[in-house]
Amino acid sequence: MFDATRLRGLFAPLSDTLPDLESDERSLALELYALLSSTGKPVSEASLARATGFEEARVRDVLSGDALACLIYRDDDGRIAGFGGLAVLPMAHRLTKDGTELYAWCAWDALFLPTLLGGDVEVKSTCPTTGESISLTVGSDGARDIEPAEAVISFLVPEAPLYEQATIETITRFCHFVHFFRSREAAEKWTAHNPGTFVLSVDEGFELGRLMTESRFGLDPAGNRPGEVPSRV
């Protein structure tokens, strides 16, 4: 169980650090998540244009805007290999969706991405304190099969808006402080040496993610996508 009022209070300052998304930005973001998760491979702007019906020039304009540019990193060929917490190149938090191997930038990403991707995602990570493994399954209705059951996450509210930072800064200043731990005791040993960090239960982390997907993408608790029709200009 968690205190919903407390979490909404925590989400308020967190929300201020996240970029607002307009209609076309939401549409491209959701399709980009879908392409990355279904193929497990980097996505070109041309592929994203074909999938959405946007002109390729429009795709480039939207992706280079302040709201999305801070969420993207590319491979050596300029294709999108990571976006908004999801990656197709190896990172510490491993995800499996429908047999496709994916990765999350941080523990919180692993808790909210399944709602955006649709369907269950198997998550595997490693506790920074003990070096032991952690596993769970996450869907749009929450996390289950958590092993060990006492697992928690560390968290941090960024000091500066993420949309004012380069993607690598988002990863180093936020994601590198958000991990899974096998127990609250293990987490508190780590947070004691990392100022500004604190401990949340897995359910609390999931609920914060739900608030984010609802706020940024207009998704309902079941992960249903908005029925808007994006402009194609």
Side-chain angles (χ1 to χ4, degrees):
M1 297 296 293
F2 53 79
D3 185 334
T5 300
R6 170 178 170 266
L7 286 180
R8 285 194 294 271
L10 177 58
F11 180 69
L14 175 64
S15 179
D16 289 340
T17 73
L18 303 173
D20 291 324
L21 303 180
E22 301 295 336
S23 174
D24 286 359
E25 294 163 342
R26 286 196 299 270
S27 297
L28 282 174
L30 289 169
E31 189 59 45
L32 184 50
Y33 278 126
L35 288 172
L36 288 168
S37 64
S38 63
T39 65
K41 298 178 180 179
V43 174
S44 68
E45 292 176 352
S47 296
L48 185 55
R50 287 193 297 271
T52 58
F54 283 76
E55 295 290 337
E56 193 169 341
R58 178 57 178 161
V59 170
R60 285 195 296 271
D61 286 345
V62 175
L63 295 184
S64 63
D66 290 344
L68 297 187
C70 63
L71 303 175
I72 294 171
Y73 71 83
R74 299 174 185 267
D75 66 9
D76 293 339
D77 296 319
R79 299 171 301 176
I80 299 168
F83 175 73
L86 180 66
V88 296
L89 301 179
M91 301 187 84
H93 310 281
R94 300 178 300 282
L95 314 178
T96 304
K97 183 181 184 299
D98 299 329
T100 300
E101 190 171 86
L102 305 162
Y103 301 88
W105 300 7
C106 73
W108 189 47
D109 299 328
L111 296 177
F112 73 70
L113 282 171
T115 297
L116 295 172
L117 303 182
D120 289 349
V121 175
E122 296 176 7
V123 180
K124 294 185 182 299
S125 191
T126 302
C127 175
T129 301
T130 68
E132 297 177 286
S133 63
I134 298 160
S135 64
L136 60 157
T137 299
V138 186
S140 61
D141 56 348
R144 63 183 187 277
D145 302 328
I146 304 170
E147 177 59 39
E150 299 78 18
V152 297
I153 70 170
S154 59
F155 206 78
L156 173 76
V157 176
E159 293 182 356
L162 300 182
Y163 52 81
E164 294 180 353
Q165 302 178 170
T167 304
I168 188 62
E169 291 178 310
T170 297
I171 293 174
T172 58
R173 296 181 182 181
F174 176 69
C175 298
H176 285 182
F177 294 91
V178 184
H179 303 282
F180 286 105
F181 292 84
R182 285 182 63 87
S183 67
R184 182 169 292 272
E185 180 183 10
E188 289 177 345
K189 287 181 179 178
W190 187 89
T191 57
H193 299 285
N194 290 274
T197 60
F198 52 93
V199 181
L200 294 175
S201 71
V202 170
D203 286 344
E204 288 172 326
F206 178 85
E207 176 64 10
L208 273 184
R210 186 194 67 76
L211 292 171
M212 189 279 292
T213 57
E214 183 179 86
S215 170
R216 291 302 180 270
F217 295 96
L219 302 186
D220 65 19
N224 294 316
R225 299 183 178 185
E228 64 190 8
V229 178
S231 63
R232 302 298 190 187
V233 297

